[in-house]
Every structure is written in structure tokens, then in C-alpha cells.
Amino acid sequence: MLSSSSENETKRAMKSRHLAMLAIGGTIGTGIFLSAGLAISLAGPGSALLSYIIVGVFVYTVVIALGEMSAMYPVSGAFSVFGTRFVSPALGFTLGWNYWFQCELTAAAIILQFWAPQVQPWQWALVIIIPIFLLQLVHVRVYGESEYWFALIKVLMIIVFIFVGLIYDWGGIRGHPGPGLSNFQNSQAFIGGFANFSQTFVYAFYSFGGVELVAVAAGESARPYKSVPRAIKATFIRIILFYVLTILTIGLCINWQDPTLLTAGYNSDVTASPLTVIFQRAGFGAAVHVINAVLLTAVLSATNSAFYGSSRMLLSLATSGQAPRIFGWVNKRGVPVPALALSLAMSFLSFLTSIWGEGIVFTWLLNLTGISALLVWGSIGVISLRFRAAYKAQGRSLSDLPYTQPLFPLLPLGVVVLAALMFAAEGYSAVKEQPFDIKNVIATYIGVVLYIVLYAGYTAYEWFALGRRQHFVSLIDVDLDGNAVWKRGDGARIRGQDELEGKEMEEMEGRKATMSWFRLLSKVREHVY
């Protein structure tokens, strides 16, 4: 566990079911509900589906590579800590701060306007931010439990959506003839050639953003050596069911020229989710408000996860000396309050949506987070290769690892190669887009600029301020023992000290919670009688 002071630490209080449900639906939010429409309207349903499949395979290989390290070293900083430990401090610093710059509040304001269009998005943002922030202040177990039920609601809603959408598309609803395969016929499946197809990748990156949250949450999981591998398997279900089938259903039911889909223009407005539109067209008008309420729950969940992930990442950066020390302070309940407060302050950037127009800011945030996600995922492939190289250089046995990725080194090598190819495709589409607009190029590469500035800035700081001349960590000097919670020695399994402390903390916190409720009920009973 990461210790931020001599007294207080984060708590290993999340159970396996919390982590598994977090993997399945914890970060489903803005991307699949909003940017999926952008991808279809830009390049057609066939291109969008193919893009989501390619990125889905890419992301799953990232999760496998990251899961191998997270099961052995479950720390809140996850890939940021791994970057510092296995490659270089500059890479860890870059990945940590890159991950921190994420926000999910824009979509929630959009969905709430479905009921009250006269209320400004920034006003809705206040309604959303405060309760989520207060929820985060309670305890990590409260976050885990709330995310479990939030994610369950999203899972059930998307399953119902897929069934209703496919039945509607096949003409199974009386009085509402479905489009069938018409949206994939007459050259409508692939629009705009390779240039438009390449642009859909950024929407897919944005949709899949957050799959790495499982690794971040492993730092507060009671039994990471079991829960992390299970969560990795759940991620595959999430990719197939919640992304590939959802994008297929939307493409079948809504034509790429339909005005209800989000458009990529800089002067456009962000409208209702394609999921809501399909329920309306299927004749479930009375259920539209229920569906939109579930969508709101989904985005609140994603916002909740974004607060959790950003605060824990900032905590990790502070404890490793890559952020001001104040953000490493943790209260007695294991909550990093200063880190959470700064994440709250940054979330107010969503107010810009009501100043400059939702479409403009949404498009720029989408490009920033999408390309940043690609850079982070590609970096994880490099980290995985360095981790295994250090393991081999120090003569360690792979049997020590609670989870071993298959087909090594093909998966991490594939991650690096695919990341490079998709990044090149993004650049090609930005340059080739007609008419040429420099704003499109800037929007595409803004995430790269942030990555380079962070990496170069910290490298310069190391060189001039710290006098550190060795940039990369030597394979022999890589720390392979710190934070390890599960090892196998002499043929016997030995539970690490962190895991035992986590189990004791979990039981202790449960007893404290039970006693608190018992005392409260006792006082009420005394007053009544």
C-alpha cells in the first residue's frame, strides 16, 4: 500500500465483486453514449464497427499486459508507478499527469438538458459535481459499492437496448418497421474512404478510455492476486457486449446521414444519445425518460470513476515525489482529500461547454483524451517489455507471478506496433481532410504536445535540478520486490504482508461500520423509549 504519512494509508477495502463489476461497466459513459454517433456519422456504420473491433482487440491486449504487473504489484498509481520503476521516472511522471487530465462531466450536463433545456449545462454540472465529490469523501468501500450498483444498472440497460434495437431493426415491433440492413447497403457502410475511417479511431479511443482503471483500483483491493485476473477476463466481455454489439445496433438502426447523430463540425451542438433515439423510434416513447435516467446514472458512474482514478493517480504522483507533497495526504478513512479537491477544481473546466458551445469543447476534449489514451496504452506495451526484461535479467521465475500474460512477447509488441500504426493513421486523416483546416491538425496532435511537454519537462528537471544523468533505470536495478503481495517460493505459496494487512483492514473496517450503526440505533431506541 502507498503510505502518504506516518499514520494514514489508503485502505484495501474493495472486494473482488467490486473490481469485477468495475471492469465490466465501471467506465462506460460518455464515449459509447455520445461519440459512437460521431463515428457513424463521419465514416458510416461499417467503418465505425471495424474501428471499434480493432481498438477493442488492441485495448484487450493492453489490459492483459497491464494486468500481469498489477496482480503482482497492486499500487494505486498502476502504470505510472510501473513506468517510473521499470523504464524511467520521466515516463512515470508523464503517464501519471496525462491520466489525471480527464473529465466526464460534459455528457451528464447534456443528458440532464433532456428534461430541462432551459437550464444551462454549467448549472447542471454543479448538481452533478457536489454529490459525487461528497460520495468520494466517505470511504473507498462506498465508492466500490456504489460503482457496483451503478455498473449493474448500466449493464442491464445496455443488454435491454441491444435486444430492443435488434428487434426493432428486424421489424419485430408492430407499427414500427425497422430499417433492416439498409444502412449497410448501397455503399453506405463505408463513407469517405481511409481518411474518414482513420478519424473514427479517436472516437473509439475515447469510448474505451478507462479500461486501465481496474489496475488503478487494484491498489485498494483486498485480494488483488485473485481479483485482478478475474477483472481482466471480465474486460473481454465488456468489449464484445458493450462496445462492439452496441455500435453494431446503432449502425443498423440509425442511418449515417440522420441529423440526430452527433456531428463532428466545430459549430455543431451535442444532442441526445443515439440510445435514446432508438427507443423513441421503436415506439417506447413512455420509456424514454426512464432510459435517459439510466443514461444519467451511467454518466454519473463514469464521473464517479473519473474522480476516483484522477485522485488516486495524483496521490501516487505525490508519494513518489512527482507532485506536491500535500496531495499525498490521506485521512483516517483512507481518502486522499487534497488530491480529490484538486481533481474537483479541474472538473470545473466542463463549465467551458456553456461558454464556447458544447460541440466545440466536446470535440477538443474528445481529441485530447482519445490521443492521450492511445499514447498511454502504447507506453504500457513498452513498460511490459521492460518489466519482463528486468525479471529475466535478475534471474526471477515467472512462477512467482499470480497472473502470466499469454503469447509473450507478441502481445506487448503488438500493442506498440498497433499504437504506432493508428497514430499514423490519425495524422494522415487530419492532413488529408478536405477542405484542409489547421484546427483539425491541432486538435489531433494536442494530446501529443501534452505528452511531449510533460516528458521533456521532467527530463530537464531531472538533469538540471536533481543532477540525475542516467535517464533509464538499469534492468539490474529495477525494484521487483516493493509492493509485491503474492509470491511463490520453494514450491509453496506465501501471502504477502500487504495482502494480509488488507484482509485485516477489511474486517476491521466492517466491524467499525457495524458498531457505528449499532450505536446509532441504540441512541435512537433510548430516545424513543
Side-chain angles (χ1 to χ4, degrees), residues 94-179:
T94 302
L95 295 179
W97 282 105
N98 224 322
Y99 184 79
W100 187 72
F101 289 108
Q102 294 187 18
C103 180
E104 285 276 358
L105 298 178
T106 302
I110 294 163
I111 291 176
L112 280 167
Q113 281 193 306
F114 179 85
W115 292 300
Q118 71 277 7
V119 180
Q120 294 298 316
W122 69 267
Q123 295 170 323
W124 279 126
L126 286 175
V127 177
I128 296 162
I129 290 173
I130 301 304
I132 294 296
F133 176 73
L134 294 177
L135 185 67
Q136 291 281 333
L137 287 175
V138 180
H139 194 277
V140 68
R141 182 178 295 170
V142 175
Y143 163 75
E145 195 65 31
S146 63
E147 273 307 301
Y148 177 83
W149 292 106
F150 278 153
L152 183 60
I153 293 172
K154 289 187 286 188
V155 167
L156 295 176
M157 187 272 291
I158 290 183
I159 292 174
V160 171
F161 163 75
I162 292 172
F163 274 106
V164 170
L166 293 178
I167 292 172
Y168 160 69
D169 179 67
W170 296 335
I173 299 177
R174 183 176 299 178
H176 298 275

Side-chain angles (χ1 to χ4, degrees), residues 312-390:
R312 267 50 179 189
M313 185 59 71
L314 187 56
L315 166 67
S316 174
L317 289 168
T319 55
S320 60
Q322 296 175 331
R325 292 182 59 184
I326 183 62
F327 299 116
W329 185 83
V330 174
N331 66 14
K332 293 182 179 180
R333 296 188 301 275
V335 179
V337 178
L340 191 59
L342 184 60
S343 299
L344 170 70
M346 285 299 296
S347 70
F348 279 87
L349 288 177
S350 63
F351 292 172
L352 296 176
T353 60
S354 62
I355 300 174
W356 292 328
E358 292 88 338
I360 298 173
V361 178
F362 182 78
T363 301
W364 279 75
L365 287 177
L366 187 148
N367 279 278
L368 175 61
T369 56
I371 295 299
S372 295
L374 176 60
L375 292 170
V376 168
W377 294 335
S379 300
I380 289 173
V382 175
I383 293 171
S384 177
L385 291 170
R386 285 276 301 181
F387 164 66
R388 280 294 195 96

Side-chain angles (χ1 to χ4, degrees), residues 387-455:
F387 164 66
R388 280 294 195 96
Y391 228 73
K392 182 178 179 180
Q394 296 186 24
R396 303 295 182 100
S397 172
L398 294 180
S399 61
D400 291 341
L401 301 176
Y403 174 76
T404 306
Q405 62 173 299
L407 304 177
F408 184 88
L410 294 181
L411 293 186
L413 282 174
V415 166
V416 176
V417 172
L418 278 175
L421 290 176
M422 285 187 283
F423 179 74
E426 280 293 312
Y428 172 82
S429 64
V431 174
K432 288 293 185 180
E433 186 176 359
Q434 296 298 327
F436 178 79
D437 190 344
I438 189 63
K439 289 188 294 185
N440 295 337
V441 179
I442 296 174
T444 299
Y445 286 106
I446 187 172
V448 182
V449 173
L450 175 63
Y451 191 96
I452 293 175
V453 168
L454 290 173
Y455 196 99

Side-chain angles (χ1 to χ4, degrees), residues 242-272:
F242 303 130
Y243 289 102
V244 175
L245 287 183
T246 297
I247 198 76
L248 173 62
T249 304
I250 295 173
L252 286 170
C253 296
I254 305 179
N255 188 271
W256 70 278
Q257 294 177 304
D258 196 299
T260 60
L261 289 177
L262 296 178
T263 59
Y266 281 91
N267 295 321
S268 63
D269 292 323
V270 179
T271 57

